[in-house]
C-alpha cells in the first residue's frame, strides 16, 4: 500500500471521486490506495443519470460495478468486490434469514432499471431471470435512497443489491446475503477523452495496486 504522505504530489488538488450508495466501500478503496480524506473529495452521483458528472467534467473518476461498455469511458482493473444481498423491510418474510437464494427472491417484486442507467449493467444487478428460469418481476421504480427505504418499509418488495448497503440502512431495513449470486467487481471509471491529471492517474494506479480484489 502506498504511503499517504508520498502518494500525492504536494499541492495537488483533491481527486473528485463519484460515489453512490454506501461511502464505506469508497472509503475502503481510498484507504487501499494509501490516501487520507484530504486527498479525495467524495461526490454523490444520481443512479438515474450515473455518468453525467464524468461527462460534464465535474468528476475525475467514479466508482462503478460490473463491466461498462460505454465507448467514452475507460475502466480500471477491479479494486474491490461487493457481495450480493437482498434489501428488505424488517417485516418481510425473508428479513430474519441468515441468507437467501435468488430463486426465493423471484416470489417478490423488485425494481426496474432507473433512468439512463445502462440496462446491460442493471441486468447484472437485478437479473431478469433466475438460474432456474423464473422471472424476477421488476415492478417498482428506483429513485432516491430515502425513497427506496420508505418503499421497502411499506411493502414486501425486495431490492436485489449489495452487502455494502448494510452500513447505511436504518434499523427497520434488513440486509440479507444472497448465497447464489457472485460478488460484484468494483472498478474506477473516467472519461476516456480527458487525460487524467498526474494525481488522478496515480490514485487509479495505487487503487489497483492496493486492491484486495486481485
Amino acid at each position: 500500500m502506498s504511503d499517504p504522505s508520498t502518494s500525492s504530489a504536494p499541492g495537488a488538488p483533491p481527486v473528485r471521486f463519484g460515489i453512490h450508495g454506501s461511502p464505506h466501500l469508497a472509503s475502503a478503496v481510498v484507504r487501499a490506495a494509501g490516501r487520507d480524506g484530504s486527498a479525495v473529495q467524495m461526490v454523490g452521483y444520481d443512479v438515474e443519470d450515473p455518468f453525467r458528472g464524468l461527462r460534464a467534467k465535474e468528476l475525475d473518476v467514479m466508482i462503478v460495478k460490473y463491466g461498462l461498455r460505454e465507448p467514452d469511458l475507460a475502466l480500471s482493473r477491479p479494486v474491490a468486490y461487493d457481495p450480493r444481498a437482498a434489501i428488505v423491510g424488517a417485516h418481510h418474510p425473508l428479513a430474519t434469514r441468515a441468507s437467501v437464494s435468488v430463486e426465493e427472491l423471484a416470489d417478490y417484486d423488485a425494481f426496474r432499471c432507473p433512468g439512463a442507467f445502462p440496462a446491460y449493467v442493471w441486468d447484472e444487478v437485478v437479473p431478469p431471470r433466475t438460474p432456474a428460469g423464473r422471472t424476477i418481476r421488476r415492478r417498482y421504480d428506483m429513485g432516491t435512497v430515502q425513497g427506496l427505504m420508505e418503499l421497502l418499509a411499506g411493502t414486501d418488495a425486495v431490492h436485489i443489491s449489495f452487502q455494502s448497503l448494510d452500513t447505511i440502512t436504518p434499523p427497520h431495513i434488513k440486509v440479507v446475503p444472497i448465497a447464489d449470486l457472485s460478488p460484484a467487481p468494483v472498478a474506477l471509471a473516467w472519461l476516456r477523452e480527458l487525460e487524467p491529471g498526474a494525481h488522478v492517474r496515480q490514485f487509479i494506479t495505487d487503487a489497483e495496486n492496493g486492491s484486495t480484489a486481485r
Side-chain angles (χ1 to χ4, degrees):
M1 182 181 297
S2 301
D3 180 347
S5 65
T6 60
S7 55
S8 296
V15 175
R16 300 173 299 172
F17 188 19
I19 69 169
H20 178 74
S22 169
H24 291 72
L25 178 62
S27 294
V29 172
V30 170
R31 289 194 301 271
R35 300 302 193 277
D36 60 23
S38 66
V40 175
Q41 177 189 3
M42 293 194 190
V43 182
Y45 65 79
D46 185 351
V47 72
E48 292 192 346
D49 193 6
F51 310 127
R52 188 204 63 79
L54 275 186
R55 289 167 174 159
K57 302 178 183 177
E58 297 169 358
L59 299 173
D60 298 309
V61 65
M62 65 185 287
I63 201 164
V64 298
K65 292 174 179 148
Y66 297 110
L68 294 181
R69 302 197 298 269
E70 304 299 304
D72 61 333
L73 301 184
L75 199 65
S76 74
R77 300 195 306 267
V79 297
Y81 285 93
D82 199 356
R84 304 305 310 276
I87 317 300
V88 297
H91 67 282
H92 196 281
L94 302 177
T96 60
R97 294 277 297 277
S99 66
V100 294
S101 165
V102 69
E103 302 294 340
E104 298 174 279
L105 299 179
D107 291 336
Y108 304 95
D109 292 327
F111 288 80
R112 299 188 192 97
C113 183
F117 193 93
Y120 64 89
V121 177
W122 195 253
D123 284 348
E124 299 277 3
V125 179
V126 182
R129 292 177 182 80
T130 71
R134 297 189 67 195
T135 297
I136 293 180
R137 302 189 303 266
R138 300 191 285 191
R139 171 185 172 190
Y140 292 107
D141 290 330
M142 279 290 295
T144 64
V145 172
Q146 180 180 353
L148 168 69
M149 300 301 174
E150 290 174 355
L151 194 150
L152 292 174
T155 69
D156 278 349
V158 299
H159 180 34
I160 301 173
S161 189
F162 304 100
Q163 188 73 45
S164 61
L165 289 185
D166 63 3
T167 60
I168 63 169
T169 50
H172 62 282
I173 301 296
K174 301 302 178 184
V175 179
V176 184
I178 301 174
D180 50 356
L181 288 182
S182 299
V186 178
L188 304 179
W190 61 96
L191 196 62
R192 191 181 297 276
E193 71 174 28
L194 185 65
E195 178 64 19
H199 68 300
V200 178
R201 293 198 305 271
Q202 191 63 51
F203 173 71
I204 294 167
T205 297
D206 290 345
E208 290 179 323
N209 292 339
S211 169
T212 59
R214 289 171 291 170

